[in-house]
Amino acid sequence: MKFKIAILGAGNVAWNLAPALEDAGHEITEVYSRDIRKAKEITERLYATDPTDDLDFSESKAQIFILAIKDSAISEVADEVILPEGSILVHTSGAVPLDILGYSSASYTGIFYPLQSFTKGKKMEMDEVPFLLESEDEETLQKLKKLAKSLSPMIYTVRSKDRKAIHVAAVFASNFTNHMIRIAEEIMRRQGLDFEMLKPLIIETISKSLQLGAKKAQTGPAIREDYETLEDHHRFLNYNEELAEIYRLISQDIIDS
Amino acid sequence: MKFKIAILGAGNVAWNLAPALEDAGHEITEVYSRDIRKAKEITERLYATDPTDDLDFSESKAQIFILAIKDSAISEVADEVILPEGSILVHTSGAVPLDILGYSSASYTGIFYPLQSFTKGKKMEMDEVPFLLESEDEETLQKLKKLAKSLSPMIYTVRSKDRKAIHVAAVFASNFTNHMIRIAEEIMRRQGLDFEMLKPLIIETISKSLQLGAKKAQTGPAIREDYETLEDHHRFLNYNEELAEIYRLISQDIIDS
């Protein structure tokens, strides 16, 4: 089943999603951005799609409208956009509830959330991206499933409550792991040491964690309850109170769990 | 330059290091463990090495003695071991100071610290392992460099003060990233959700972090200062006070840095 799709947004998600949808055989009718030059950056990568900065889509041929914009703008754009009769409006956010689309002119609403970290300029293989889908309308959900399946084998139907849990888990698994690496970078830089020497350890740790599960993969002073080293490290971090407290709290949680 | 080497210990490091040293052309004269069956597990993987549970090495032909045992046992074994004249004793720990070997019968001491997470039963490619070396004796340091270079191109000479900083950084980069994944696993499990759906995100996050640096790679509600989502997530984690506090503290540190 092929769809006609309009993309609203021109950020990291839109940059990756639009060509992937086209490659999967769907037709991208329009790409919208407030800044039309940004919309053009994306339509340039497509066969025959119009860039637009106009939210009046009453004449659009699209059946599905994908809101791929930052969370804080979803509500406003959803309220303003003028959609044709029978259209489906979805957003791509992990954090924003479905009912925020309830005041839009869409006939049906849903969520089409690719659970991945996208970067403009770096093509992501969509068949490795899990898609989390939600709709209160069964027929809409079936259409979203068909659309997602044309991109990836990893399709999950989730409830809003689950999507929140997944988003919180994703913050730990992604943003917070990244911040732990950030802190390690800073500790090395402060001492004039080469961060490169930690990279093999990080790669091995993550690979082991994903293969064995993080509980079995854990090593280090906290899991060994090596209080002498823990105290020594805590003292070392004295120069930054927040850092020392993060060290203490995570170590304690490793000991407790 | 080929060395005759005795390995004291039969854990994850010894299991990986002994065959790698043999493959690099060195001779492993003995493998010691308090439990001789464990020593045999390792000598079975070598050409002609004696397992032993005796710490009297006065008759050993080895020139370098590698203490690959848990941190808390290093001091005791170093004090007890009887070594031949002219021998070098090193340990493989990131956390234990060099001077702990000062009361041993070794003529020279040093540190031979492979900065990696080893697992018994899973062969690690040593050429991807950084070796951190330390000795107060210049000739000993040169020998350790030659030994390490026979295994890996990643050789660093570090001072004890640096080694501590590296160890603290490694705890953040390895143990704490792993614990963030552990927490994510728990959040998903508690909600009856499949952790598999987070794996592609984790792999992409780490890959981006190591390529761009963690500061540039950061995404999510904290770096966006999206206080509404932060509060919402904090409320979601109410069921576990420690977890909620970890969420708050790391988010705050992302905002501050």
Side-chain angles (χ1 to χ4, degrees), chain B residues 6-164:
Chain B
I7 308 276
L8 287 76
N12 299 325
V13 174
W15 192 92
N16 275 280
L17 201 53
L21 286 167
E22 198 176 72
D23 289 349
H26 307 289
E27 184 186 335
I28 311 299
T29 54
E30 296 98 358
V31 171
Y32 161 88
S33 172
R34 253 189 329 192
D35 180 348
I36 196 149
R37 287 167 307 178
K38 286 195 175 164
K40 275 182 188 157
E41 273 175 38
I42 295 183
T43 55
E44 272 170 8
R45 305 179 63 232
L46 304 170
Y47 285 111
T49 302
D50 293 325
T52 177
D53 57 4
D54 183 356
L55 279 173
D56 182 353
F57 284 90
S58 50
E59 301 297 318
S60 172
K61 286 185 223 151
Q63 304 152 295
I64 301 178
F65 294 78
I66 301 180
L67 263 179
I69 56 180
K70 61 181 179 186
D71 290 5
S72 58
I74 291 176
S75 167
E76 196 189 317
V77 175
D79 288 355
E80 280 185 28
V81 66
I82 302 170
L83 300 173
E85 182 63 28
S87 60
I88 297 172
L89 177 66
V90 298
H91 74 63
T92 57
S93 164
V96 174
L98 175 53
D99 58 17
I100 210 170
L101 305 179
Y103 300 100
S104 74
S105 58
S107 303
Y108 308 101
T109 58
I111 288 168
F112 191 79
Y113 169 33
L115 180 51
Q116 184 51 283
S117 168
F118 295 98
T119 311
K120 234 185 207 178
K122 192 196 166 210
K123 198 183 162 196
M124 170 73 63
E125 296 306 326
M126 284 292 164
D127 57 357
E128 289 162 18
V129 176
F131 280 85
L132 277 53
L133 310 177
E134 195 177 332
S135 179
E136 286 174 358
D137 178 59
E138 186 52 36
E139 205 178 317
T140 300
L141 188 62
Q142 291 312 321
K143 283 182 183 166
L144 295 179
K145 274 189 188 172
K146 277 176 188 142
L147 183 61
K149 270 186 189 155
S150 71
L151 297 172
S152 165
M154 302 170 76
I155 308 299
Y156 299 89
T157 310
V158 295
R159 300 161 299 172
S160 270
K161 200 178 66 135
D162 292 339
R163 200 160 41 84
K164 183 178 292 181

Side-chain angles (χ1 to χ4, degrees), chain A residues 117 119 122 164 167 174-175 178-179 185 199 204-205 208-210 214 218-219 232-233 242 253 256, chain B residues 117 119 122 164 167 174-175 178-179 185 199 204-205 208-210 214 218-219 232-233 242 253 256:
Chain A
S117 168
T119 311
K122 192 194 165 210
K164 182 178 295 183
H167 194 236
S174 171
N175 309 148
N178 183 65
H179 192 61
E185 283 175 4
K199 288 186 175 179
E204 175 66 13
T205 298
K208 201 190 278 190
S209 186
L210 296 186
Q218 190 58 287
T219 62
D232 197 38
H233 285 183
E242 204 166 356
D253 200 55
D256 292 347
Chain B
S117 168
T119 311
K122 192 196 166 210
K164 183 178 292 181
H167 194 237
S174 171
N175 308 149
N178 183 66
H179 192 60
E185 283 176 4
K199 287 186 176 178
E204 175 65 14
T205 298
K208 202 190 278 191
S209 186
L210 296 186
Q218 191 57 287
T219 62
D232 196 38
H233 285 182
E242 204 165 357
D253 200 55
D256 292 346

